[in-house]
C-alpha cells in the first residue's frame, strides 16, 4: 500500500523540500498552506504524487472541517515562522502590543502544530510518524518565537508518550539559519547573516534540503526507535543535548 504524508507549510521553503523528499521516497503527499498559488506551483513541479489543501492550520474550525486522507503515515508540521518579522515592534510599556506579538508566535508555531496533530491523530497509521519543525531559537530566545519553539519541544516530549504505544514516533527537527526559504521575508541583513554563519562549526548556512534529509530519515521505517527527540540541523551553531 502506498504511504501517505501530510506536510503543512509544504508550499515553500523547508516544507517544499520535505514534500520533494517524501515524493522521492514514494509517498503520496498532501501539502497544506494558506496561499493556493505556491501550493499549485509545487504540485505542478512534483507531479501527481502531490495533492494540495489551502487551509490555515492555526484555525481550529477550518481544521475540523477540512478533508484529509483517511490514513496518514507521516505528518510533518512545518507551517510556522517568526511573526515578528516585518511587524512593528511594540513600544516599551505597550503590554497589549507585546501580548499580541507573543500570541501571534505561539499560535503560528505551537498551537498550529498541536491542533493539526490532534485533528489527524485518529487517522495516524500504526507505526506512523509525527515530525515537527522547531528552531534553534528555542535555545537562544527571540522573544515569543523562541518561546513558541521551546513549547514545541515540551509538547513533543509528551506526545511521544501519548502516541508511543501505537508504535507512532514524535520528533522535532530543529534547524538553524536555513536559506532558500521565505522565513526572513527578504529582511536578513548581510551582517546578521555573517554573524549566524560565524556561529556554525562548518561556516555555512543551511539549506532546506539539509533539513528535509533528516525529516526523510525520521519518516523511514529505520527510525522506529527514535522518539521524543530534538534533532538539530544547524552546522554546530547549537550543540544539542
Ligand atoms: N528558515 C529558517 O532559517 C528557519 C530556521 C529555524 C526554523 N525554521 C522553521 O521552519 C519552518 C518552515 O519555515 P521556512 O523556513 O520553510 O519558511 P517559509 O518558506 O516561510 O515556510 C513557512 C510555510 O508555512 C506556511 N504557513 C505559515 N503559517 C501557516 C498557517 N497558519 N497555516 C498553513 N500554512 C502556514 C506558509 O505558507 P502560507 O503563508 O501560504 O500559509 C509557508 O509556506 C517554520 O516552522 C520555521 O519556524 C526556519
Amino acid at each position: 500500500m502506498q504511504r501517505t504524508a501530510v506536510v503543512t507549510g509544504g508550499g515553500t521553503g523547508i516544507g517544499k523540500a520535505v514534500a520533494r523528499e517524501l515524493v522521492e521516497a514514494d509517498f503520496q503527499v498532501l501539502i497544506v498552506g494558506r496561499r493556493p498559488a505556491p501550493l499549485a506551483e509545487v504540485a505542478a513541479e512534483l507531479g501527481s504524487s502531490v495533492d494540495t489543501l489551502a487551509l490555515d492550520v492555526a484555525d481550529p474550525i477550518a481544521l475540523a472541517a477540512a478533508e484529509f486522507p483517511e490514513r496518514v503515515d507521516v505528518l510533518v508540521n512545518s507551517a510556522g515562522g517568526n511573526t515578528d518579522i516585518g511587524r512593528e515592534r511594540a513600544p516599551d510599556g505597550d503590554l497589549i502590543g507585546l501580548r499580541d506579538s507573543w500570541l501571534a508566535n505561539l499560535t503560528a508555531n505551537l498551537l498550529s502544530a498541536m491542533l493539526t496533530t490532534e485533528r489527524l491523530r485518529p487517522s495516524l497509521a500504526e507505526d506512523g510518524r509525527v515530525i515537527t519543525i522547531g528552531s534553534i531559537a528555542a535555545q537562544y530566545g527571540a522573544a515569543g518565537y523562541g518561546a513558541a519553539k521551546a513549547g514545541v519541544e515540551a509538547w513533543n516530549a509528551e506526545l511521544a508518550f501519548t502516541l508511543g504505544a501505537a508504535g507512532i514516533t514524535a520528533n522535532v527537527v530543529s534547524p538553524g539559519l536555513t536559506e532558500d526559504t521565505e522565513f526572513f521575508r527578504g529582511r536578513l541583513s548581510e551582517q546578521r547573516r555573517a554573524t549566524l554563519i560565524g556561529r556554525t562549526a562548518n561556516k555555512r548556512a543551511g539549506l532546506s534540503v539539509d533539513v528535509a534529509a533528516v525529516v526523510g530519515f525520521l519518516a523511514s521505517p529505520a527510525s522506529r526507535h527514535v522518539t521524543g527527540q530534538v534533532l538539530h540541523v544547524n552546522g554546530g551553531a547549537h550543540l544539542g543535548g
Side-chain angles (χ1 to χ4, degrees), residues 96-226:
I96 293 174
L98 193 59
R99 179 207 51 190
D100 290 349
S101 140
W102 277 62
L103 275 180
N105 264 313
L106 290 166
T107 303
N109 293 283
L110 175 58
L111 298 185
S112 63
M114 181 276 290
L115 290 170
T116 306
T117 303
E118 281 303 312
R119 168 65 180 83
L120 292 181
R121 215 168 114 185
S123 311
L124 289 174
E126 206 169 308
D127 201 28
R129 306 280 188 263
V130 178
I131 302 157
T132 303
I133 307 301
S135 172
I136 193 171
Q139 280 73 44
Y140 293 99
Y145 176 62
K149 292 300 196 183
V152 162
E153 294 185 10
W155 162 72
N156 179 72
E158 186 192 12
L159 186 65
F161 284 84
T162 308
L163 303 179
I168 302 168
T169 66
N171 291 287
V172 172
V173 175
S174 181
L177 168 65
T178 309
E179 297 191 317
D180 69 333
T181 72
E182 294 183 356
F183 182 86
F184 291 100
R185 309 274 176 267
R187 290 165 193 264
L188 180 66
S189 70
E190 265 313 309
Q191 194 186 4
R192 177 77 179 144
R193 179 175 183 270
T195 301
L196 293 176
I197 292 173
R199 288 180 189 156
T200 64
N202 57 4
K203 303 300 169 217
R204 65 179 281 267
L207 294 173
S208 55
V209 289
D210 299 325
V211 182
V214 176
V215 173
F217 162 68
L218 287 173
S220 76
S223 74
R224 68 183 179 181
H225 203 47
V226 180

Side-chain angles (χ1 to χ4, degrees), residues 12 14 34-35 55-57 78 134 145 149 176 178 181-182:
T12 65
I14 291 168
R34 290 166 300 188
R35 291 166 296 161
L55 173 72
D56 180 348
V57 293
S78 189
Y145 176 62
K149 292 300 196 183
T178 309
T181 72
E182 294 183 356

Side-chain angles (χ1 to χ4, degrees), residues 15-65:
K16 177 180 173 182
V18 166
R20 183 188 298 280
E21 177 83 21
L22 295 179
V23 165
E24 284 169 5
D26 278 338
F27 281 86
Q28 186 68 32
V29 181
L30 176 67
I31 54 171
V32 183
R34 290 166 300 188
R35 291 166 296 161
L39 299 174
E41 274 173 39
V42 174
E45 209 176 305
L46 298 184
S48 61
S49 299
V50 169
D51 302 301
T52 66
L53 175 62
L55 173 72
D56 180 348
V57 293
D59 176 347
I61 295 167
L63 255 178

Side-chain angles (χ1 to χ4, degrees), residues 69-81:
E70 259 173 50
R71 174 195 156 102
V72 175
D73 295 279
V74 173
L75 166 61
V76 181
N77 295 306
S78 189

Side-chain angles (χ1 to χ4, degrees), residues 224-239:
R224 68 183 179 181
H225 203 47
V226 180
T227 194
Q229 304 300 317
V230 179
L231 281 80
H232 296 275
V233 185
N234 56 38
H238 169 72
L239 300 178

